[in-house]
Amino acid sequence: MANLNLDNEKDNTYDVIVIGSGMSGGWAAKEFAEKGLRTLVIERGREVKHNVNYPTTNLNPWEFKHRGVISQKLRDENPIASRCYVFNEDAEHFVSKDKEHPYVQEKPFDWIKGYQTGGKSLLWARQTQRWSQYDFDGPGRDGFAVEWPIGYRDLAPWYSYVEKFVGIAGNYDGLDILPDGEFLPGMGLNCIEEHFKSSVEKNYSGRHVISGRCAHITEYRDIFAKQGRATCQYRNLCQRGCPFGGYFSSNSSTLPWAMNTGNLTMIHHSVVHSIIYDDKKQKAKGVRVIDSLNKEDKEYYASIIFVNAGALNTNLILLNSTSGRFPQGLGNDNGLLGKFIAFHNYRATVSAEYDGYTDKHTTGREPTTSYLPRFRNVKKQETDFLRGYAAGFGARRQIITDYNGYGEELKENLLNPKYGVWQMRSHMMGETIPKESNQVKLDLSKTDDWGIPLLSIDVDYDENDEKMVRDYHEQFTEMFEKAGFSNIKTHDSKQAPGLDIHEMGGVRMGKDPKTSLLNKWNQMHACKNVYVTDGACMTSTSTQNPSLTYMALTARACDHAIKESKV
Amino acid sequence: MDRRRALVNLGIISGGLVLFPSCEFSKEKATIALNNLEINASQENLLKEIIASIIPNGEIPGAIELKVDEFVWVMLDDCFSKEGQQDFLKGLNSFNDVVDKIRGKSFHKLLEEERSTVLKSIEEGDQFDEKDKVGEFLRTLKQLCVFGFMQSEFIMTEVMPYSLVPGKYGTCETIDPEKRINVNG
Ligand SMILES: Cc1cc2nc3c(=O)[nH]c(=O)nc-3n(C[C@H](O)[C@H](O)[C@H](O)COP(=O)(O)OP(=O)(O)OC[C@H]3O[C@@H](n4cnc5c(N)ncnc54)[C@H](O)[C@@H]3O)c2cc1C
Ligand code: SF4
């Protein structure tokens, strides 16, 4: 018996364990496997192989039984997932169903999940803006949360490193508030967006309109060819998985790359229950895993553990990793694990119309949007709320179809649509302030199918967020007016936190073990061989779409872990 | 499709709740196999007739020729709430009574032009809504019909071509006023 166990232990021992195969876990897999470490990636969901398991990717609209519409049954069973805009007939199979992973909502919180190879990297909108030093300075300057232990200079080389491999389309805009990266040709603004850009730049200092930097390959490079990825064909059907590998996902890029080294082992249907702490060696020695299909327990061992289960699941795993040394969860000496959760405020939109450029239109499809970087409180405090918001927006030429009449009249109308005015729509991406009261906990009275306690989420907006919504409405109304737009309408969806899908924090980085859980290398202060490099590590949120930053932090932390394991 | 097989499948899918009809009775059954709803042949035929009048056949095929009636049933069956389904069927079932009230004839006996006029007056007339849901039914049907027609393979390949791989995004192109506007372009 004893021998059997030992053999088991040997078979199940790797140099590194990576929990989760999504956007950040994929990067950890690539970095470690490339450097020759025997790497195990543990994924709770099913396998989705690039190009093999994209069942809808080449379907024409009429080939969908419901032309894209979700069935009433799926909608009824998934009130939360249904609120996500990609939950349509073509991609619903990549969005986790509500009942597969229940959680407790102390306050309304829409937790959107993608449990499969690649996680949510299959589904994302591919917006990739760098942080600047002004973003890292936030908490220190404005006195909330704790100071970041790193700054732009620490991350800049890693942004570059990641961008070169991912492929980022963008223009060199030369803005200190939104640093340029390693860009492929940008996707460009259309006539109305250009018009808006010149109006904004004429009327305001410090406000800029740019083409949103996005993870699409717009020009050939050997490095993409080596990954088996081709240039983007502007299908704008990315959420189905792209047969060209035109946008970045872990499935098309980092995971196959890691697999090709021969150093990667990937297991699916394997839910990480907790991280096992070795009291004698005073470090983590492995993870406990439950097979999601037959519910058997297994253990895997490694000397380095990367936790990349997605921000909230990472919190859950750590809270559930209790031991004699850490009765409140791994590394949680200060009781702050699960606290200071934050997100992005995506509630507000402003729409408008423009009556010019009547002889122009766009052709084809655009897989990115235009972007207006944060201009409020960037260099100093200017308003009665803290921080600010960025905005995405786009213009398109309206096509009007007249649905009046019956018979020949209706048919004539349907087949002869007319151009309307240009329509403009902007959405807010607001920074929220991490607060101790915004937190996640374990609800020990309820467990999921695998006996793991449910996560209880207690996260809400505050007065700062309300003020920011009002300011965004006012400022965009004014900017649209100055650009000569008409029919300007403001809207507040009041959507719950979570639907932004940019949940962050709970295991924040910081300088001081008393007030943070991770050091400047994303290492747990109190358990140095465990690293957290997904959204859980974020000390503050700023306004940029966060995944590029998670990827850069992951690559940087891997480099540190490799160097440290050699000394 | 093999009708008998379709009916058997239906029985299995709905947990065997559907009683298998006898052979003679199957004439009355609708030909389309649905997962949830049970409809009969006269409902199926009436809907076909109305749809044929909403978007008739011509140089460009009409809604029936493009099988939009099947699409309408599938959408009603899978994508509507129970309440929505009931209201729709209620409207469909009262449709001929209402037409009779307006015209003194059933829909079937009207000329093409009369049909358009009667449909218009039902669409606009809220008075038919409260009890028998006919106005609501027609407005819903028209929407589904237009949706299914515009998203049919024929329209999306021959008339307003949809391209899976459309090529580069054109940011500021000059409109050719001679060209038919392609909503899928
Ligand atoms: C519709 C949509 C649009 C988005 N748009 C953008 C955008 O434009 N820009 C941007 O930056 N971000 C965007 N995001 C967010 C982006 O997808 C996430 O930030 C990113 O995927 C997070 O990476 P991650 O590695 O932390 O988690 P994920 O990519 O979610 O991966 C986590 C993985 O861990 C697995 N896992 C979870 N728990 C366990 C467990 N206990 N055991 C084993 N495995 C586990 C999951 O199954 C999953 O595969 C968008 C997301 C969505 C859904
Ligand atoms: S827009 Fe580009 S990346 Fe997205 S599916 Fe299309 S070709 Fe692929």
Side-chain angles (χ1 to χ4, degrees):
Chain A
M1 273 311 269
N3 276 342
L4 199 76
N5 272 337
L6 273 181
D7 280 352
N8 247 339
E9 186 152 343
K10 230 172 87 196
D11 285 351
N12 289 351
T13 300
Y14 295 82
D15 295 329
V16 191
I17 287 174
V18 178
I19 305 173
S21 68
M23 194 89 70
S24 61
W27 266 92
K30 168 188 172 290
E31 292 305 297
F32 286 122
E34 215 173 30
K35 302 281 150 52
L37 278 75
R38 288 187 316 115
T39 306
L40 174 70
V41 170
I42 306 178
E43 170 54 53
R44 70 175 297 151
R46 70 178 195 288
E47 179 164 30
V48 174
K49 268 211 170 98
H50 178 54
N51 256 338
V52 177
N53 303 112
Y54 299 160
T56 57
T57 190
N58 284 321
L59 294 184
N60 284 299
W62 60 88
E63 292 171 307
F64 288 94
K65 192 174 174 196
H66 308 107
R67 304 292 189 275
V69 176
I70 281 287
S71 75
Q72 184 69 32
K73 185 163 178 281
L74 263 181
R75 233 180 309 157
D76 287 345
E77 286 172 359
N78 297 285
I80 299 162
S82 291
R83 280 181 219 128
C84 178
Y85 69 91
V86 294
F87 195 72
N88 292 310
E89 199 174 19
D90 68 338
E92 58 80 13
H93 47 279
F94 293 146
V95 184
S96 297
K97 305 300 176 289
D98 291 3
K99 65 176 176 211
E100 277 170 34
H101 195 75
Y103 60 98
V104 179
Q105 300 181 56
E106 295 289 333
K107 303 200 181 88
F109 188 94
D110 290 330
W111 187 6
I112 307 298
K113 296 153 263 145
Y115 292 164
Q116 62 247 331
T117 320
K120 295 191 295 272
S121 75
L122 271 173
L123 290 170
W124 70 318
R126 311 161 305 281
Q127 290 298 301
T128 41
Q129 332 296 337
R130 285 187 180 199
W131 280 39
S132 77
Q133 186 56 37
Y134 300 112
D135 301 303
F136 286 101
D137 283 344
R141 190 194 80 183
D142 291 349
F144 61 88
V146 288
E147 274 181 46
W148 275 89
I150 57 169
Y152 180 64
R153 270 202 283 169
D154 298 297
L155 210 53
W158 295 102
Y159 274 135
S160 290
Y161 179 77
V162 164
E163 285 162 344
K164 282 184 199 151
F165 191 82
V166 165
I168 307 289
N171 298 319
Y172 289 91
D173 300 301
L175 307 175
D176 61 343
I177 57 170
L178 198 79
D180 289 331
E182 310 289 332
F183 294 149
L184 306 166
M187 288 192 167
L189 304 174
N190 67 34
C191 0
I192 304 305
E193 293 158 356
E194 285 287 358
H195 165 85
F196 182 57
K197 176 184 168 78
S198 44
S199 164
V200 167
E201 278 160 14
K202 193 176 84 208
N203 289 303
Y204 302 90
S205 69
R207 298 193 193 185
H208 307 273
V209 170
I210 65 165
S211 173
R213 298 151 186 183
C214 60
H216 286 257
I217 299 174
T218 51
E219 199 170 78
Y220 176 89
R221 296 277 189 282
D222 283 340
I223 185 66
F224 308 135
K226 278 189 200 144
Q227 296 171 45
R229 298 171 59 205
T231 52
C232 169
Q233 304 294 310
Y234 295 81
R235 302 177 348 134
N236 203 15
L237 301 171
C238 314
Q239 70 281 358
R240 300 179 182 179
C242 176
F244 303 98
Y247 78 98
F248 173 86
S249 66
S250 306
N251 311 60
S252 66
S253 177
T254 43
L255 291 172
W257 186 270
M259 200 50 93
N260 285 340
T261 64
N263 297 321
L264 174 67
T265 305
M266 244 197 108
I267 55 172
H268 288 86
H269 300 293
S270 302
V271 187
V272 171
H273 169 280
S274 52
I275 295 167
I276 307 161
Y277 186 74
D278 187 329
D279 277 313
K280 265 194 243 119
K281 291 190 182 145
Q282 297 195 357
K283 57 181 193 175
K285 71 168 189 184
V287 298
R288 193 174 146 208
V289 169
I290 301 169
D291 185 312
S292 69
L293 304 176
N294 64 22
K295 307 208 171 140
E296 270 171 22
D297 261 15
K298 264 194 189 157
E299 289 184 359
Y300 295 91
Y301 311 97
S303 43
I304 303 171
I305 297 172
F306 264 61
V307 198
N308 297 90
L312 295 186
N313 272 315
T314 287
N315 275 278
L316 172 54
I317 292 168
L318 294 174
L319 285 164
N320 202 35
S321 303
T322 51
S323 56
R325 166 71 183 83
F326 293 112
Q328 306 184 83
L330 190 69
N332 191 14
D333 286 334
N334 53 28
L336 294 177
L337 179 61
K339 294 182 175 169
F340 294 93
I341 301 284
F343 56 100
H344 281 153
N345 182 352
Y346 269 46
R347 269 168 37 186
T349 52
V350 181
S351 63
E353 293 176 354
Y354 186 62
D355 214 356
Y357 295 92
T358 48
D359 63 332
K360 301 285 185 200
H361 69 156
T362 61
T363 55
R365 295 191 284 274
E366 186 194 20
T368 185
T369 74
S370 307
Y371 187 87
L372 199 142
R374 177 165 71 97
F375 55 88
R376 282 303 202 200
N377 306 320
V378 179
K379 296 186 181 170
K380 59 178 198 308
Q381 184 62 33
E382 299 152 340
T383 65
D384 68 343
F385 55 85
L386 290 181
R387 315 310 296 159
Y389 46 85
F393 63 89
R396 58 182 197 108
R397 187 77 195 266
Q398 188 185 33
I399 295 177
I400 301 169
T401 304
D402 177 1
Y403 295 106
N404 276 312
Y406 282 91
E408 280 307 329
E409 184 193 351
L410 174 60
K411 207 168 168 188
E412 268 301 298
N413 286 342
L414 293 178
L415 297 178
N416 295 292
K418 297 188 173 48
Y419 283 110
V421 292
W422 284 88
Q423 290 176 312
M424 186 84 169
R425 191 174 174 280
S426 148
H427 68 272
M428 163 193 188
M429 302 184 269
E431 176 164 358
T432 71
I433 307 297
K435 295 181 295 279
E436 189 159 4
S437 56
N438 275 350
Q439 57 173 312
V440 297
K441 287 186 284 222
L442 297 184
D443 185 334
L444 297 170
S445 67
K446 303 189 184 86
T447 53
D448 64 13
D449 282 356
W450 304 279
I452 299 172
L454 297 193
L455 195 68
S456 166
I457 305 179
D458 187 357
V459 171
D460 207 352
Y461 295 105
D462 62 20
E463 191 44 37
N464 201 61
D465 301 320
E466 303 301 330
K467 285 182 181 161
M468 219 188 277
V469 166
R470 286 197 288 275
D471 190 68
Y472 161 81
H473 277 157
E474 283 163 19
Q475 292 307 310
F476 262 81
T477 300
E478 188 188 284
M479 283 187 273
F480 280 179
E481 275 167 359
K482 289 200 164 144
F485 297 168
S486 57
N487 203 10
I488 300 167
K489 289 189 181 130
T490 60
H491 181 66
D492 178 357
S493 72
K494 307 263 181 187
Q495 70 183 39
L499 202 53
D500 44 292
I501 326 183
H502 293 170
E503 61 279 4
M504 292 176 233
V507 198
R508 70 182 176 193
M509 295 170 77
K511 293 175 176 164
D512 183 351
K514 285 200 207 75
T515 55
S516 62
L517 288 127
L518 306 173
N519 67 14
K520 64 176 175 179
W521 302 110
N522 295 73
Q523 239 172 340
M524 291 208 102
H525 289 300
C527 185
K528 289 274 187 323
N529 67 332
V530 173
Y531 290 75
V532 175
T533 66
D534 61 17
C537 76
M538 299 293 279
T539 309
S540 67
T541 72
S542 199
T543 57
Q544 287 86 333
N545 316 70
S547 307
L548 179 71
T549 300
Y550 305 165
M551 293 194 269
L553 285 169
T554 304
R556 178 175 175 271
C558 291
D559 181 62
H560 178 264
I562 291 164
K563 283 185 181 142
E564 201 159 76
S565 70
K566 282 184 185 147
V567 283
Chain B
M1 172 184 284
D2 176 342
R3 191 196 306 175
R4 288 277 293 284
R5 232 213 348 265
L7 285 170
V8 173
N9 284 342
L10 186 69
I12 292 167
I13 290 165
S14 56
L17 281 177
V18 181
L19 293 174
F20 299 131
S22 69
C23 283
E24 301 89 346
F25 195 65
S26 70
K27 273 194 264 154
E28 295 297 324
K29 274 276 164 189
T31 54
I32 187 166
L34 300 175
N35 295 322
N36 307 304
L37 290 173
E38 264 192 276
I39 55 159
N40 59 41
S42 59
Q43 287 172 319
E44 193 177 34
N45 290 335
L46 176 58
L47 195 81
K48 244 189 189 152
E49 262 182 342
I50 306 170
I51 290 176
S53 300
I54 297 177
I55 305 177
N57 199 11
E59 207 178 308
I60 284 175
I64 294 298
E65 288 65 31
L66 299 178
K67 298 201 163 65
V68 173
D69 52 326
E70 286 174 21
F71 172 71
V72 168
W73 282 121
V74 167
M75 290 299 284
L76 183 71
D77 192 44
D78 291 342
C79 300
F80 275 58
S81 66
K82 281 244 150 49
E83 204 187 17
Q85 290 171 337
Q86 276 161 9
D87 286 351
F88 186 93
L89 290 177
K90 201 168 181 188
L92 175 65
N93 294 339
S94 335
F95 182 78
N96 261 327
D97 289 347
V98 168
V99 174
D100 211 333
K101 252 185 238 156
I102 305 174
R103 283 278 157 169
K105 288 185 205 163
S106 72
F107 194 66
H108 185 67
K109 298 201 174 120
L110 298 178
L111 300 171
E112 187 73 35
E113 265 180 42
E114 294 177 309
R115 290 184 178 193
S116 290
T117 323
V118 100
L119 289 175
K120 248 184 225 167
S121 63
I122 294 178
E123 177 180 330
E124 285 154 15
D126 291 332
Q127 69 267 34
F128 311 114
D129 263 22
E130 270 176 29
K131 198 167 84 286
D132 43 36
K133 306 280 178 195
V134 171
E136 195 183 310
F137 151 75
L138 185 61
R139 287 186 290 269
T140 307
L141 175 60
K142 187 178 181 181
Q143 266 179 23
L144 283 174
C145 207
V146 167
F147 183 44
F149 178 74
M150 295 304 283
Q151 300 249 320
S152 64
E153 179 171 2
F154 183 86
I155 299 293
M156 292 192 104
T157 52
E158 304 290 325
V159 185
M160 297 182 180
Y162 169 87
S163 165
L164 208 49
V165 182
K168 219 170 154 72
Y169 173 61
T171 53
C172 199
E173 312 292 311
T174 302
I175 292 168
D176 175 358
E178 300 300 309
K179 253 175 95 179
R180 187 201 294 276
I181 297 174
N182 181 356
V183 294
N184 305 309

